Structure formats: C-alpha cells, structure tokens
Amino acid sequence: MRSRPVPPAGAGATPAARLADAGPAPAPAIPEPVVHILAPGQSLRIALRAGAVVHVQSGRGALIGAPRWVAEQYCRVRYRLAPGTVHVVQVAGWQTVAADGGGRLVLTLRDAPAPVPPPLLPGWLARLWVRLVGGLRG
C-alpha cells in the first residue's frame, strides 16, 4: 500500500479562509524622523504626505504649504515657525521650509505612513484603493 503525501494545512481551504488564517495585516511602517539644519536665508522644498509632522528645535522660519485652489484662487498658506513649534501638514504636496535671516533653523521632519489597503482586496483593487485614499487625504 502506497502512502500519499499529506497536503499542507489550509491547502484545500478557500482563499478567504487562507487569508483569515494568515492573521492580521502588518501595521504600516512609520518613517524615521529626519533632522534638517538650514542656514540663515536658506530654504528646503520637500514632498510630504498629509499627516507629516514638522518639529522646530531651534531658530525661526516659515513653512509654506502646498499650493491649492481656494474659492477659485491659487494660494499657498504660510505658517510661522518658532522654537518648540509642532506643525502637522494638512495638505499633501511640495512644502517649502525657509529659515529667517536671524539664525539657523533646526527642524525634525517625520513623514506620515503610506496608506495600507484592506487585506481582502485583490491586487488591482488594492492599488486603486491606495491611490484614491491617498488622494483624499492630500
């Protein structure tokens, strides 16, 4: 009598059952903070997602938000930065950080984590979901 190999656990299960057995989806990786030091009069343009955090350690400057349309006008909101200021970026896009002429600006940037699709979507639908949700947040 010949013995047949035993199929691995879950091999005959439905795809939904296999996904349920896989456990919870991994949490999105939180990006590491990056320290930038700007000399007086220097500026930095950086692409940030909505939810990114800007923390000013020392110096003074300005954060000029991503361009957007408000009441049929093109505008960029300017935020004053002082030592100890924490600012959460509300609109995704290219932000400009500028140091005032009085001294150097030391700030820490932590970008927001990328959106994670729900675990039960097929590949093409998951990519579409990430693009839609990413656009709504920004």
Side-chain angles (χ1 to χ4, degrees):
M1 180 175 197
R2 298 179 89 183
S3 63
R4 286 193 267 169
V6 178
T14 64
R18 273 186 260 141
L19 284 175
D21 292 341
I30 298 175
E32 290 294 319
V34 178
V35 177
H36 293 280
I37 300 173
L38 301 177
Q42 191 176 18
S43 65
L44 168 72
R45 284 194 46 91
I46 187 166
L48 295 173
R49 295 184 188 104
V53 177
V54 179
H55 177 227
V56 180
Q57 297 174 3
S58 66
R60 295 190 178 276
L63 174 72
I64 303 162
R68 56 183 165 173
W69 288 97
V70 177
E72 298 183 14
Q73 293 183 356
Y74 173 84
C75 70
R76 296 185 73 185
V77 181
R78 182 181 177 103
Y79 303 95
R80 302 296 296 160
L81 300 176
T85 303
V86 175
H87 177 76
V88 178
V89 175
Q90 297 174 358
V91 178
W94 286 95
Q95 317 287 328
T96 303
V97 180
D100 285 347
R104 72 181 193 168
L105 177 67
V106 179
L107 55 99
T108 305
L109 294 173
R110 181 186 296 264
D111 202 5
V116 177
L120 297 177
L121 296 178
W124 67 271
L125 191 55
R127 288 189 296 275
L128 176 64
W129 186 89
V130 168
R131 292 184 74 186
L132 290 175
V133 170
L136 292 176
R137 290 184 184 166

